[in-house]
Amino acid sequence: MTHTTERKVDAGLREGVMSGPELAAQAIASIAPSAVIAFTAASIFLGAGNGTMFAFVLATIVILCVGYIVSMFARRHASAGSLYTYVAKGLGPTGAFAAGVALLIGSWGIAAGSLGGAVAYASDLLQIFGMESASSLGWLIALAVIIGGLATFFTIRGIRISARISLVLELVSVFIILVLLIAALVWLGPDAWDPAQFTFEGVPFQGVAAGMVLGILGFVGFSSADALGREARNPHTAIPRAIMWSAVVVGVLYVFAAYTQIAVLGDDLGEVASPLQAINERIGMPGWFAPILVFGVAASFFAVVVAPLNVVGRIIYVMGKEGVVPERFGRTHETHLTPHRVLLIAGPAAIALDVILLLMGTHPMDIVVWVDTYGTYGYMVAYALVAIAGVVYTARLGIPNRLVWLCAVVAVVAMAYVFFANVWPMPVFPINVIPYLFVATMLLAFSRFWWLKANRPEVLQRVGNTHTEMMEGVG
């Protein structure tokens, strides 16, 4: 009787509608490679110099280790619960809840932070077209509301439309940047070959290690396709493929972009405010290309607002199904078949945070740094937990796991190092208080877990058991 009632009140998530390219779009849009290319190589170069490429290579290896373990779970357990469901298989309800909350913090934080980036570049684009007032507080707030509202609308309207918008925007932005980088290498001619970047001579190891931290941060969200376990076609095959290939493709793109930026700008890379725009000016691209370039980066930031909100919606949806959060969040829109209730909270909350920070006089790009840092802590914890869970899970089932062990050790050590590098030496305010905000958020969330353990222990037995085949819905 209970099962029948649930089917009447919940239309479920749409089943089997996401193709392989659309899954890859979800993964790549969460990474936002164009936005990362615009800033990260320059930051790494300050410490790693000509070792910048090596830092990205190491970061890609670490992410592939995490991806291998996530893919191992995805091949066996298709779910909308993402890492929350996977960790439950190895570490039980406590580990699953910690991973779920951490991933929610990560996804929502990246979405809210990237909204600031979209606002900044949209403002720059309007100024290029002569609207000088677009940098005013009123315009910035209006852009935050409009861009955040559109992102929320697309996530509610349907997973296919939001994924396709993300795919188109990210492809356009990557294409624009590749045109610039290839044009720069052609402009260099014989000087495009920079052998100094392929040697370790004079490369500081500490700088490369610190650069690897920033490189890893440039991949956060890469596994987000695993939250589409119900909506994907052939999820046990398509999701692992999307996760691994998106990491490889983006890693190659990062290495190529880093090489080209160093080859063109040299030591100036660590000094210019916007490396891509500096390259655009140095090689003398046509005047019409500058607004296209700015639009490309703005589009990338918008795509990374949309994609993580999809993850937030689906994790909370699964938690609602299991009773971890109020049951009303375990229902979808009758027409669009999306978890609209939580999206109507998460989207406006991201807008509200950005508006508050703007009212406090915060520059939109500082919002990116601050809020994305908060979200990154969540991803680091979730990735470490799924790595440990992978070892426990495979050992318990007697699955050959030497490679799982190796990947788990690399992932956990790397995530611990990333966390340490972000708190020591102590950064300046307000970055120095963000780790404490993250810990406080986790503890606040765990008050719900402890209440369930004391008052509704049967709920904890359902954690991690809501898979594709158990969800109501229509195809």
Side-chain angles (χ1 to χ4, degrees):
M1 177 64 71
T2 302
H3 184 68
T4 303
T5 302
E6 287 182 356
R7 289 186 67 87
K8 289 180 180 178
V9 299
D10 178 28
L13 297 169
R14 197 175 298 277
E15 184 176 5
V17 296
M18 296 289 288
S19 66
E22 288 167 334
L23 290 172
Q26 171 68 24
I28 293 175
S30 291
I31 301 171
S34 302
V36 173
I37 289 170
F39 302 100
T40 305
S43 300
I44 294 176
F45 181 80
L46 290 172
N50 283 333
T52 300
M53 277 203 314
F54 292 116
F56 274 117
V57 170
L58 291 174
T60 302
I61 292 172
V62 171
I63 289 301
L64 287 174
C65 286
V66 177
Y68 178 80
I69 296 175
V70 175
S71 297
M72 181 271 296
F73 279 114
R75 282 192 293 270
R76 292 169 172 82
H77 305 286
S79 173
S82 186
L83 306 187
Y84 163 73
T85 297
Y86 301 160
V87 172
K89 304 303 175 187
L91 302 182
T94 305
F97 187 85
V101 172
L103 191 58
L104 287 172
I105 292 172
S107 299
W108 182 82
I110 295 298
S114 297
L115 177 58
V119 168
Y121 274 85
S123 172
D124 288 347
L125 185 62
L126 291 175
Q127 291 178 68
I128 288 175
F129 286 113
M131 297 182 62
E132 297 298 331
S133 61
S135 61
S136 67
L137 178 61
W139 262 104
L140 295 178
I141 291 175
L143 287 171
V145 172
I146 293 170
I147 295 172
L150 283 173
T152 304
F153 170 77
F154 288 133
T155 57
I156 293 174
R157 183 63 179 80
I159 185 61
R160 295 194 76 184
I161 187 173
S162 63
R164 287 175 176 178
I165 287 171
S166 297
L167 175 62
V168 170
L169 291 178
E170 207 52 61
L171 285 177
V172 168
S173 61
V174 169
F175 176 77
I176 292 169
I177 289 175
L178 283 177
V179 167
L180 174 66
L181 297 178
I182 293 172
L185 292 178
V186 172
W187 176 79
L188 284 172
D191 293 333
W193 170 243
D194 186 7
Q197 293 194 56
F198 294 91
T199 67
F200 287 100
E201 185 177 351
V203 172
F205 171 79
Q206 182 61 32
V208 172
M212 181 195 68
V213 172
L214 294 174
I216 291 173
L217 303 187
F219 282 93
V220 293
F222 81 105
S223 67
S224 62
D226 62 7
L228 306 178
R230 178 173 180 83
E231 292 143 306
R233 299 173 196 159
N234 303 314
H236 298 286
T237 302
I239 290 176
R241 188 176 296 163
I243 290 171
M244 296 302 287
W245 276 107
S246 63
V248 171
V249 170
V250 171
V252 171
L253 182 61
Y254 285 168
V255 171
F256 172 69
Y259 172 85
T260 305
Q261 289 181 65
I262 294 173
V264 176
L265 296 177
D267 292 339
D268 291 340
L269 177 59
E271 300 175 3
V272 296
S274 178
L276 294 181
Q277 289 172 285
I279 292 175
N280 180 69
E281 294 171 3
R282 179 163 298 190
I283 69 175
M285 290 291 282
W288 52 261
F289 189 79
I292 293 177
L293 179 62
V294 173
F295 169 79
V297 180
S300 182
F301 272 117
F302 178 77
V304 82
V305 178
V306 173
L309 286 178
N310 283 327
V311 177
V312 170
R314 278 138 190 87
I315 295 175
I316 292 292
Y317 174 73
V318 173
M319 287 181 166
K321 284 287 185 192
E322 295 174 348
V324 176
V325 298
E327 184 270 342
R328 64 180 176 274
F329 292 115
R331 308 177 198 170
T332 57
H333 193 280
E334 293 182 1
T335 303
H336 305 312
L337 304 184
T338 54
H340 60 296
R341 286 180 172 86
V342 66
L343 293 172
L344 285 172
I345 295 175
I351 296 170
L353 176 61
D354 281 42
V355 168
I356 291 171
L357 290 174
L358 288 170
L359 289 170
M360 293 172 60
T362 309
H363 190 279
M365 290 310 299
D366 285 334
I367 294 177
V368 177
V369 175
W370 300 352
V371 185
D372 276 12
T373 299
Y374 171 72
T376 296
Y377 287 123
Y379 276 115
M380 296 301 100
V381 170
Y383 289 160
L385 287 172
V386 79
I388 297 170
V391 172
V392 176
Y393 173 79
T394 51
R396 182 182 300 155
L397 296 184
I399 300 172
N401 65 353
R402 287 185 180 179
L403 188 53
V404 171
W405 259 102
L406 175 62
C407 289
V409 170
V410 171
V412 172
V413 170
M415 296 308 141
Y417 180 72
V418 169
F419 192 90
F420 176 78
N422 277 273
V423 298
W424 188 264
M426 185 176 294
V428 297
F429 181 85
I431 301 294
N432 61 328
V433 302
I434 291 177
Y436 302 102
L437 290 176
F438 169 73
V439 172
T441 308
M442 290 290 293
L443 290 175
L444 180 63
F446 257 92
S447 65
R448 171 70 177 179
F449 180 84
W450 293 321
W451 183 88
L452 289 171
K453 188 174 183 180
N455 298 280
R456 298 185 61 193
E458 72 281 359
V459 168
L460 301 186
Q461 302 304 313
R462 298 198 292 268
V463 169
N465 291 318
T466 305
H467 304 299
T468 293
E469 61 272 15
M470 300 172 63
M471 290 185 178
E472 298 86 348
V474 297

